[in-house]
């Protein structure tokens, strides 16, 4: 369609029957006129596939496969996508109608590889919690490695050029809860990031979120940072130690508070201070 390059939207879905219809319809209701929607059913054992098939009449393409994880699901969707741009929407998240239109406008105005929007946090009943995830723009590599607040809210917030996605190699299937972090690290080594400063997506928090599994979160995020170290993404050894210390501090808080395991929390507090002593100030600020 002239003036409106094709955007391929990929929804990976694993046992998200309760939310999937809302996600799909939020894509079909976009005010951007040139879309391809791909739903990747990742071996769901609930009614997710049945719900997705109800939309085949709307030219929604469905991939039904064995359970191989969210990263592989996104990658398989990207492999068959025909769009110049790719957008990913988790099956429990929702977009507002202007999400893609306003994102593509930033691409046309700036030299970037990825554009994201603010995300409004909602609960299981789709009610806003009052929290907005805002993110940043520009060269984000250092900020991402430092885990300096919210840089890119979530995969559901992004629009990326297909060429940029292919250049950085897609999502790493060896990660699950931290796959987006690893992907953003690699992307930020090659491309600047653009932003739409509006909450045009809704990020759902509920009991089945992957980040509620702190043991997996620990394993995944440490793995991502070790991978970044091997790839030489840190500008110096001292900067690397500071980044790892910040990671350990975040894991300490997750175990201490959310995991209700103060012993593991204390372990990561000690690790963070040993690797980068100045971080002790952050524990008393």
């Amino acid at each position: 369609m002239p003036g409106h390059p094709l955007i391929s939207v990929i929804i990976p879905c694993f046992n998200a029957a309760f939310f999937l219809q809302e996600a799909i319809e939020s894509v079909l209701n976009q005010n951007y006129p040139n879309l391809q929607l791909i739903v990747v059913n990742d071996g769901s054992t609930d009614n997710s596939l049945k719900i997705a098939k109800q939309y085949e009449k709307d030219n929604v393409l469905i991939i039904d496969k064995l359970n191989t994880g969210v990263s592989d699901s996104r990658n398989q969707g990207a492999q068959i996508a025909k769009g110049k741009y790719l957008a990913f929407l988790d099956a429990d998240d929702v977009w507002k109608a202007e999400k893609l239109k306003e994102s593509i406008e930033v691409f046309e105005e700036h030299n970037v590889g990825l554009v994201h929007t603010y995300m409004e946090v909602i609960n299981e009943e789709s009610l806003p919690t009052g929290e907005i995830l805002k993110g940043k723009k520009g060269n984000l590599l250092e900020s991402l490695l430092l885990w300096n607040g919210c840089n890119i809210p979530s995969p559901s917030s992004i629009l990326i050029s297909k060429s940029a996605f292919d250049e950085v190699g897609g999502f790493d299937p060896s990660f699950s809860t931290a796959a987006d972090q690893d992907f953003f690290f690699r992307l930020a080594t090659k491309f600047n990031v653009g932003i739409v400063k509006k909450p045009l997506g809704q990020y759902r928090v509920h009991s089945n979120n992957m980040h509620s599994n702190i043991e997996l979160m620990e394993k995944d995020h440490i793995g991502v940072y070790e991978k970044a170290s091997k790839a030489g993404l840190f500008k110096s050894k001292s900067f690397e130690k500071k980044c790892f210390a910040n990671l350990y501090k975040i894991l300490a808080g997750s175990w201490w508070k959310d995991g209700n395991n103060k012993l593991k929390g204390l372990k990561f507090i000690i690790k963070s201070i040993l690797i980068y002593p100045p971080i002790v100030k952050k524990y008393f600020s």
Side-chain angles (χ1 to χ4, degrees):
M1 188 174 294
H4 296 97
L6 180 65
I7 299 175
S8 294
V9 179
I10 298 154
I11 300 180
C13 177
F14 174 70
N15 287 351
F18 190 74
F19 306 117
L20 182 58
Q21 181 175 353
E22 190 175 2
I24 290 174
E25 294 196 359
S26 78
V27 177
L28 298 178
N29 290 332
Q30 290 294 299
N31 61 11
Y32 186 81
N34 197 16
L35 297 176
Q36 174 192 36
L37 176 54
I38 303 167
V39 177
V40 184
N41 181 50
D42 188 30
S44 297
T45 56
D46 63 4
N47 289 328
S48 294
L49 181 60
K50 182 179 179 181
I51 291 169
K53 284 189 172 181
Q54 294 174 1
Y55 291 92
E56 286 183 311
K57 65 183 185 301
D58 299 301
N59 295 319
V60 175
L61 180 61
I62 299 169
I63 300 174
D64 183 29
K65 66 179 185 63
L66 297 175
N67 178 244
T68 55
V70 65
S71 295
D72 186 56
S73 296
R74 290 174 182 146
N75 290 343
Q76 286 202 34
Q79 285 172 5
I80 66 168
K82 296 181 179 179
K84 180 180 179 180
Y85 297 95
L86 304 176
F88 301 91
L89 178 63
D90 288 346
D92 51 358
D93 293 341
V94 186
W95 285 342
K96 296 184 180 179
E98 317 86 60
K99 201 279 183 186
L100 294 179
K101 180 176 181 294
E102 297 207 22
S103 297
I104 201 77
E105 288 172 357
V106 174
F107 258 108
E108 293 173 351
E109 296 170 4
H110 302 279
N111 182 24
V112 294
L114 178 150
V115 171
H116 68 86
T117 71
Y118 290 177
M119 294 288 282
E120 179 181 47
V121 180
I122 58 175
N123 63 17
E124 292 191 22
E125 288 74 42
S126 300
L127 299 174
T129 67
E131 182 181 4
I132 304 291
L133 306 175
K134 293 189 174 181
K136 302 170 186 175
K137 67 176 181 177
N139 184 339
L140 297 186
L141 182 59
E142 284 194 19
S143 186
L144 283 161
L145 291 169
L146 283 167
W147 207 323
N148 183 20
C150 179
N151 289 281
I152 302 172
S154 77
S156 295
S157 73
I158 72 171
L159 178 70
I160 183 170
S161 67
K162 180 67 160 56
S163 60
F165 182 88
D166 291 340
E167 184 172 343
V168 301
F171 292 90
D172 187 338
S174 65
F175 300 120
S176 55
T177 183
D180 53 338
Q181 184 181 50
D182 167 69
F183 179 74
F184 296 149
F185 282 1
R186 287 182 282 116
L187 182 121
T189 65
K190 298 176 179 292
F191 300 96
N192 282 346
V193 171
I195 190 170
V196 179
K197 294 183 177 181
K198 298 178 185 178
L200 299 182
Q202 294 178 313
Y203 174 80
R204 194 184 307 272
V205 174
H206 55 88
S207 57
N208 291 327
N209 281 123
M210 283 194 296
H211 285 84
S212 62
N213 185 338
I214 299 173
E215 189 170 354
L216 177 60
M217 173 185 171
E218 173 191 325
K219 175 180 175 292
D220 251 27
H221 286 291
I222 290 175
V224 165
Y225 273 76
E226 289 175 344
K227 178 181 176 182
S229 178
K230 289 178 183 176
L233 301 191
F234 299 98
K235 63 182 181 180
S236 68
K237 199 63 183 175
S238 61
F239 178 69
E240 180 175 338
K241 289 180 178 179
K242 184 177 181 180
C243 293
F244 269 86
N246 285 344
L247 167 64
Y248 295 152
K249 181 177 181 294
I250 288 166
L251 291 174
S254 294
W255 278 116
W256 189 285
K257 182 180 177 183
D258 301 323
N260 197 26
N261 189 328
K262 290 182 170 51
L263 186 61
K264 277 210 167 187
L266 183 61
K267 166 192 164 185
F268 279 107
I269 291 172
I270 293 170
K271 283 189 74 169
S272 70
I273 294 171
L274 287 176
I275 195 172
Y276 187 72
I279 201 171
V280 71
K281 298 175 185 176
K282 289 191 174 182
Y283 288 103
F284 298 100
S285 61

